Amino acid sequence: MSKSNEDKRSLRCAAVRTTRSSRSAESQDSGLGQYGKQRKKHSDSALAQDLCQMSVSGQEGATSSEEKQLGQHQNSPAVAKSTGGLASVVRLMKLGRCKNVVVVTGAGISTASGIPDFRTPGTGLYANLEAYNVPYPEAIFNVDYFSNDPQPFFSLAKVLYPGSHRPNYIHYFIRMLHHKGLLLRMYTQNIDGLEKLCGIPDDKLVEAHGSFATASCHLCYTPYPAEEAKRAIMNGDTPSCTFCTATVKPDVVFFGEDLPQKYFLHTKDFPKADLLIIMGTSLQIEPFASLVNTVRSKVPRLLLNRHAVGPFQRLPLRRGDHVELGDLENTVRRFAEMLGWSDDIVELMKSQEQEQHIPTLVRSTTAGSGEDESDSETDSKCSVSSCPSN
Ligand code: CNA
């Protein structure tokens, strides 16, 4: 085994193991569907059980049929509602009180780009997994299941591989936070590469659940060219490790696998944050979900989502917590309008799309190249005419 592989292995062993796991079935945000029973039987890791202290309350924004499907609302004593917090947060931002903003995101920021999330009833991937022939939804991201049968994941990978989707307004709003010098870090659970594609620089981004930008053997971690892995998977072939012949997988973090080292930046970032914005996530995947509880107690937290999730389901809300429910893109457009950033964002989108040739981007490999040339301090690639640094 090559030195670098040994190093990689020992690094994985030496570090405190922080693996990806889902929350307990009782606290699922939504979408049990036909998999509900299996999911309940499928026990989550002890870590997830320990960390899971949420009680499920109602969520404004779910339709009554969704509510029936969720089966979570009958005993809800109180329902989390939009709190009008957007205005409060905008006021703080305009006062210059938020200069270290941490953004936490999930699949809900990319549904506007046409990529289904996991748990939205009806459209989410978990509601449409029959085609993948897996016994329970999480199996598709279970490394032991993959070891036995990689095909379900490879079928899904064809849909999720970066290249066929473009960043939307929400991605560019976050890029604008960086552009204004306000973004301390973005922590995303997404694996679609749209953050990089919209120009959020590498050092401002933590892809907590990995990405398709690199690939390696799922057993011995020998690196494998990402493009070759992509080609094989797209052609319906199984890429094999050149060292041990086991199946190669894109470096997307599966349940039971370690999170990337970069994830541990959170130990410095969250205590330093002066505003936390949470967008488009059900906060069901640990340890990521618990990050939102690690900002200082006085730090404002703003949830932008279709439903109240995580600690925002409990009423009364923590002092400084704000919830804005509804379609995320609409909410973010309003947010930008209130901040006076709308024109800047439109300009930014235009210039980035021109630069990346995004309108003609079909199955391009740009997003998955792992290269990022942006300068995180100056955002020098941006050609927005007015770039006030606040
Ligand atoms: P999830 O559990 O599916 O939750 C998504 C959340 O976003 C839900 O609460 C939805 O209600 C909300 N939401 C979806 N669309 C909108 C919208 N238009 N407006 C407002 N709210 C919306 O997904 P999470 O990200 O919480 O789960 C983490 C998983 C999902 C990660 O491990 C990802 O790898 C995985 N995933 C990623 C992608 C992607 O990369 N685009 C797609 C699907 C799944």
Side-chain angles (χ1 to χ4, degrees):
M1 187 182 299
S2 73
K3 176 90 175 69
S4 65
N5 291 337
E6 279 174 15
D7 286 347
K8 199 170 172 187
R9 249 189 150 165
S10 57
L11 223 177
R12 281 172 198 249
C13 297
V16 178
R17 285 199 74 227
T18 301
T19 60
R20 178 182 168 181
S21 62
S22 60
R23 280 180 181 271
S24 71
E26 283 68 29
S27 64
Q28 294 296 325
D29 173 35
S30 59
L32 292 181
Q34 62 154 331
Y35 289 101
K37 279 190 185 145
Q38 290 97 317
R39 180 179 280 178
K40 280 204 166 130
K41 277 188 215 150
H42 172 62
S43 72
D44 295 304
S45 76
L47 174 65
Q49 305 273 4
D50 288 349
L51 290 169
C52 181
Q53 299 156 350
M54 286 172 20
S55 65
V56 176
S57 71
Q59 298 160 341
E60 189 184 75
T63 64
S64 56
S65 65
E66 279 173 352
E67 286 174 6
K68 269 188 210 145
Q69 191 175 357
L70 301 178
Q72 294 175 345
H73 296 257
Q74 294 90 334
N75 302 318
S76 303
V79 176
K81 292 194 171 83
S82 294
T83 55
L86 216 46
S88 313
V89 171
V90 166
R91 201 163 47 243
L92 287 175
M93 290 175 76
K94 285 187 170 171
L95 283 170
R97 302 259 284 271
C98 307
K99 291 184 169 149
N100 288 301
V101 182
V102 170
V103 178
V104 165
T105 61
I109 71 163
S110 292
T111 54
S113 296
I115 305 174
D117 66 0
F118 268 174
R119 293 181 176 81
T120 291
T123 56
L125 290 169
Y126 279 1
N128 294 288
L129 279 174
E130 296 89 337
Y132 300 100
N133 195 23
V134 284
Y136 53 90
E138 286 89 349
I140 209 153
F141 286 108
N142 180 302
V143 73
D144 298 322
Y145 195 91
F146 176 88
S147 206
N148 184 49
D149 180 10
Q151 287 317 317
F153 172 70
F154 285 162
S155 305
L156 184 61
K158 288 183 183 177
V159 178
L160 291 179
Y161 251 114
S164 10
H165 302 280
R166 46 203 278 191
N168 62 57
Y169 195 90
I170 304 159
H171 296 97
Y172 284 102
F173 176 87
I174 301 166
R175 162 95 187 262
M176 186 52 72
L177 277 171
H178 164 59
H179 192 73
K180 303 274 187 191
L182 306 178
L183 183 67
L184 178 58
R185 205 94 58 193
M186 173 183 192
Y187 286 76
T188 186
Q189 297 166 95
N190 292 349
I191 52 179
D192 54 32
L194 295 183
E195 298 87 359
K196 280 185 179 165
L197 196 55
C198 88
I200 294 170
D202 222 18
D203 66 341
K204 288 286 168 182
L205 179 65
V206 173
E207 293 174 313
H209 292 164
S211 77
F212 288 95
T214 56
S216 55
C217 173
H218 85 285
L219 276 188
C220 75
Y221 311 121
T222 300
Y224 190 90
E227 274 313 303
E228 273 182 40
K230 179 177 180 180
R231 207 171 306 120
I233 292 166
M234 289 300 184
N235 290 335
D237 298 330
T238 302
S240 303
C241 176
T242 47
F243 182 73
C244 76
T245 74
T247 307
V248 164
K249 103 176 168 40
D251 291 332
V252 168
V253 180
F254 278 27
F255 294 117
E257 287 195 307
D258 295 343
L259 271 61
Q261 283 300 303
K262 210 173 169 189
Y263 170 78
F264 295 96
L265 282 173
H266 77 82
T267 57
K268 287 188 182 150
D269 288 348
F270 280 68
K272 202 173 158 193
D274 50 23
L275 171 65
L276 178 65
I277 304 178
I278 302 152
M279 298 180 178
T281 173
S282 61
L283 293 180
Q284 293 293 325
I285 308 285
E286 293 294 357
F288 193 93
S290 291
L291 284 182
V292 303
N293 297 320
T294 63
V295 289
R296 286 167 296 130
S297 63
K298 287 181 188 164
V299 168
R301 302 188 298 185
L302 173 64
L303 172 73
L304 309 178
N305 207 44
R306 191 170 280 136
H307 312 284
V309 294
F312 298 87
Q313 291 176 102
R314 274 195 299 264
L315 292 176
L317 289 174
R318 187 177 99 163
R319 179 181 44 153
D321 275 0
H322 305 286
V323 180
E324 200 72 32
L325 301 178
D327 177 75
L328 193 50
E329 190 175 353
N330 289 341
T331 306
V332 169
R333 281 182 186 278
R334 226 163 3 104
F335 198 178
E337 187 72 45
M338 290 160 86
L339 286 165
W341 293 2
S342 301
D343 292 346
D344 284 355
I345 294 177
V346 170
E347 279 303 309
L348 179 59
M349 288 177 83
K350 270 192 213 155
S351 69
Q352 181 71 7
E353 294 201 340
Q354 266 167 15
E355 192 172 315
Q356 299 274 346
H357 307 295
I358 286 180
T360 54
L361 190 81
V362 179
R363 296 254 166 247
S364 150
T365 57
T366 315
S369 68
E371 291 169 10
D372 192 283
E373 301 155 56
S374 305
D375 175 345
S376 71
E377 295 310 314
T378 60
D379 207 357
S380 57
K381 280 185 150 186
C382 173
S383 60
V384 178
S385 49
S386 63
C387 297
S389 58
N390 265 20

